[in-house]
């Protein structure tokens, strides 16, 4: 069809699916990645505060609390299938030495809003485009179970 193909980070897509673009908000797009972990990042309206990562929810909650406390964010927006896991640790922190969460802090969960995708500008996502599917290189936060198993087997024979 002679159309350009761009790559889009699933976490960035989740982040941009929320219509809220206010100051003093932490956005945490997160996907339940199984194995008691989430794929997530932390952003504000102006910066990426934690790069895409594969992380335990309680560790991510600690990062959120640290960033929120240091920068005095008033609201946290959790987006995606990992949101309930993160919310659990934010509301009932079990990590030792967790800072106290302010009583006036608002934590909300938003689901993915497909209708918002039509408003997105492709130039916000990718600096490169291609017309060949074979040129697209996925960027995964974690190896698949099959890849980990293969690496483990290979290391046994070295």
């Amino acid at each position: 069809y002679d159309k350009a193909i761009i790559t889009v980070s699933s976490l960035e897509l989740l982040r941009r699916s929320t219509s809220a673009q206010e100051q003093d908000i932490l956005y945490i797009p997160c996907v339940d990645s199984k194995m008691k972990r989430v794929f997530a990042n932390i952003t504000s309206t102006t910066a990426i505060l934690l790069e895409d990562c594969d992380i335990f929810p309680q560790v991510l909650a600690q990062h959120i609390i640290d960033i929120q406390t240091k920068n005095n964010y008033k609201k946290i927006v959790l987006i995606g299938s990992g949101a309930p896991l993160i919310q659990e640790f934010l509301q009932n922190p079990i990590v030792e030495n967790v800072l106290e969460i302010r009583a006036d802090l608002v934590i909300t969960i938003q689901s993915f809003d497909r209708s918002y995708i039509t408003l997105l500008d492709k130039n916000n996502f990718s600096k490169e485009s291609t017309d060949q599917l074979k040129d697209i290189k996925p960027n995964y936060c974690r190896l698949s179970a099959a890849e980990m198993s293969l690496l483990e087997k290979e290391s046994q024979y070295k």
Side-chain angles (χ1 to χ4, degrees), residues 77-95:
V77 177
L78 303 168
I79 312 154
S81 63
L85 299 171
I86 307 306
Q87 184 182 36
E88 175 185 333
F89 285 103
L90 287 174
Q91 292 179 335
N92 303 306
I94 60 171
V95 182

Side-chain angles (χ1 to χ4, degrees), residues 143 145-158:
L143 296 175
E147 290 169 314
M148 288 190 281
S149 177
L150 181 62
L151 287 175
E152 186 178 307
K153 286 179 184 177
E154 287 176 353
S155 69
Q156 290 175 355
Y157 295 112
K158 289 184 178 182

Side-chain angles (χ1 to χ4, degrees), residues 24-28 41-44 47-51 55 59-76 90 99 102 105:
D24 297 331
I25 295 181
L26 277 180
Y27 297 95
I28 296 91
N41 68 32
I42 302 174
T43 62
S44 68
I48 297 173
L49 304 170
L50 179 68
E51 295 285 337
I55 192 168
V59 176
L60 181 60
Q62 185 63 58
H63 283 295
I64 294 167
I65 293 167
D66 292 344
I67 291 169
Q68 181 277 321
T69 303
K70 181 179 176 186
N71 299 295
N72 200 29
Y73 287 98
K74 309 258 188 283
K75 185 176 180 181
I76 295 173
L90 287 174
L99 298 170
R102 291 191 352 245
L105 179 66

